[in-house]
Amino acid sequence: ISRLERRGLKITALKMMKITTEDAKKLYEPHKGKVFYEGLLRFMVSGPVVIIALEGNSAVKILRNIIGALQPEESLPGSIRGDYAMDVRHSVIHGSDSPENAKRELAVFFQDNDYLDYNTCDEDVLYSE
């Protein structure tokens, strides 16, 4: 979480939970029928997760850089997957691959009133003209 905030991304919603099978199916619906789908569902419901909604200019692209490549062996040291992942099937982090998918995925876990609208103390510096 501190990596995300240090980079300038703003947390607008956050919760720790165990994902239900139903929610995992909604989240990974685009992958239904793929060879890894059932194993992914089992892994995602196997323990608690932290779900975070982020905001910022180019938030999806910036987050994807912080996360690292999907294949752990291609993730650079310093990225989350580069530092902590050994197996693509047991990923240590998920990040949406587009603003459209982020909206769909976040809707699985958050309602409109779960989001907090606020200004960070460094927002003026991060987004100065």
Side-chain angles (χ1 to χ4, degrees):
I1 292 172
S2 62
R3 286 185 189 204
L4 307 177
E5 290 180 312
R6 279 194 311 267
R7 185 60 171 87
L9 297 171
K10 179 168 61 173
I11 296 171
T12 57
L14 181 144
K15 66 171 73 171
M16 183 176 173
M17 63 185 294
K18 278 196 74 171
I19 298 176
T20 65
T21 300
E22 295 76 30
D23 284 347
K25 286 179 179 179
K26 289 177 194 172
L27 181 66
Y28 291 108
E29 194 275 328
H31 300 297
K32 187 175 182 179
K34 294 181 181 174
V35 67
F36 59 84
Y37 179 73
E38 293 299 326
L40 177 60
L41 294 181
R42 281 192 302 278
F43 176 67
M44 290 305 297
V45 302
S46 68
V49 298
V50 175
I51 312 237
I52 305 173
L54 298 167
E55 186 177 286
N57 290 353
S58 302
V60 169
K61 187 177 275 189
I62 288 170
L63 178 63
R64 300 291 290 183
N65 285 331
I66 294 168
I67 289 173
L70 179 61
Q71 300 296 331
E73 65 275 10
E74 296 173 9
S75 291
L76 296 175
S79 69
I80 293 171
R81 288 180 178 146
D83 290 348
Y84 300 107
M86 291 297 294
D87 177 7
V88 70
R89 294 187 185 264
H90 300 97
S91 185
V92 296
I93 190 167
H94 169 85
S96 302
D97 62 359
S98 70
E100 297 77 25
N101 279 337
K103 186 174 182 176
R104 181 190 65 76
E105 292 172 358
L106 290 169
V108 173
F109 303 107
F110 295 112
Q111 304 294 317
D112 287 342
N113 63 347
D114 290 328
Y115 293 92
L116 186 60
D117 185 21
Y118 67 100
N119 293 321
T120 61
C121 62
D122 57 357
E123 215 166 303
D124 291 340
V125 174
L126 289 172
Y127 299 109
S128 62
E129 294 182 26

